[in-house]
């Protein structure tokens, strides 16, 4: 589980004006592609949670491995790149693979998307998974499953980033993301 903390400047001062004036390098086709990515990530999240609940017999236990807040949906980079073929209307066929990869890099660098573990894979270190009693099998060599480390997954899967939750929360809810799973926002006023 990754926790993000963010401070948002909501005053109308020079810092806010300068940052707001800086434009992203994303054009209209890339923005339409970003919208498609977010819709697919929310869909992936909802499908995973539905499957998890069915596995648990429809019960939601308090101490389950599924976080209550945030989006655990993630897509691998190839699936995200292939989403460009699903764009419709004036955006259909407008992005090449290279343009799509560049757009993904920009979305990651600006905090809209973040590297993530595949859905259903926890982020805990499982160094002690072989705790079973092997007293009868002392002569046999122990085989240990190797789980890919989080570093090896960096760049392979992407999830929704903190900036998306902060600035596009209403859009995520319109895509079907449950309001009760939105991250907490605390507003401080002078």
């Amino acid at each position: 589980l990754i926790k993000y903390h963010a401070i948002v400047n909501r005053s109308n001062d020079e810092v806010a004006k300068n940052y707001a004036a800086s434009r992203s390098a994303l054009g209209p086709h890339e923005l339409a592609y970003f919208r498609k990515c977010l819709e697919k990530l929310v869909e992936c999240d909802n499908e995973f949670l539905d499957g998890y609940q069915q596995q648990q017999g429809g019960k939601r236990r308090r101490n389950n491995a599924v976080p209550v807040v945030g989006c655990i949906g993630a897509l691998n980079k190839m699936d995200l790149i292939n989403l460009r073929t699903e764009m419709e209307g004036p955006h259909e066929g407008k992005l090449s693979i290279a343009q799509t990869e560049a757009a993904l890099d920009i979305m990651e660098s600006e905090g809209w998307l973040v590297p993530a573990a595949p859905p259903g894979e926890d982020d805990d270190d499982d160094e002690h998974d072989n705790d079973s009693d092997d007293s009868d099998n002392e002569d046999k060599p122990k085989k240990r499953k190797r789980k890919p480390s989080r570093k090896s997954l960096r760049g392979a899967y992407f999830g929704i980033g903190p900036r998306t939750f902060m600035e596009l929360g209403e859009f995520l809810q319109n895509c079907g993301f449950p309001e009760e799973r939105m991250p907490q926002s605390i507003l401080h006023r002078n």
Side-chain angles (χ1 to χ4, degrees):
L1 177 63
I2 299 173
K3 294 182 181 181
Y4 295 100
H5 298 272
I7 298 173
V8 180
N9 180 5
R10 297 182 57 118
S11 358
N12 194 12
D13 59 6
E14 285 302 313
V15 174
K17 289 178 186 176
N18 290 339
Y19 183 75
S22 67
R23 288 243 189 240
S24 174
L26 299 175
H29 303 303
E30 288 86 354
L31 291 174
Y33 168 71
F34 178 52
R35 178 185 180 118
K36 181 64 82 176
C37 290
L38 292 180
E39 290 169 349
K40 196 68 170 180
L41 285 166
V42 169
E43 180 183 321
C44 177
D45 177 70
N46 289 336
E47 287 173 2
F48 175 77
L49 285 179
D50 289 344
Y52 181 81
Q53 285 179 336
Q54 288 175 355
Q55 267 184 342
Q56 299 298 319
K59 300 174 191 171
R60 285 203 50 111
R61 290 181 289 152
R62 188 171 188 164
N63 293 329
N64 58 11
V66 178
V68 177
V69 176
C71 180
I72 57 173
L75 291 171
N76 69 31
K77 191 170 185 175
M78 188 55 66
D79 289 340
L80 283 173
I81 291 171
N82 288 335
L83 281 178
R84 70 186 176 81
T85 62
E86 296 180 20
M87 294 182 9
E88 300 171 346
H91 308 292
E92 185 175 0
K94 298 291 185 182
L95 291 177
S96 68
I97 293 174
Q99 289 171 316
T100 306
E101 287 178 328
L104 282 173
D105 289 342
I106 291 169
M107 290 177 218
E108 181 182 8
S109 69
E110 293 182 355
W112 299 108
L113 298 177
V114 292
E121 188 172 296
D122 57 0
D123 293 335
D124 296 337
D125 292 332
D126 293 338
E127 293 181 16
H128 305 289
D129 280 350
N130 277 340
D131 289 341
S132 61
D133 185 18
D134 290 334
S135 58
D136 297 336
N137 301 329
E138 288 180 11
D139 297 336
K140 295 180 184 178
K142 292 183 182 180
K143 291 184 180 179
R144 182 174 173 201
K145 277 187 172 180
R146 296 203 81 178
K147 187 175 174 181
S149 70
R150 183 154 182 89
K151 288 181 182 177
S152 70
L153 297 172
R154 187 166 295 283
Y157 281 79
F158 287 95
I160 296 176
R163 186 171 180 187
T164 304
F165 283 113
M166 290 184 337
E167 297 185 31
L168 301 176
E170 188 174 328
F171 174 76
L172 290 174
Q173 290 176 26
N174 290 340
C175 290
F177 192 78
E179 182 179 2
E180 64 271 7
R181 293 195 38 236
M182 287 296 292
Q184 181 182 17
S185 295
I186 301 172
L187 180 63
H188 293 278
R189 295 180 187 238
N190 291 342

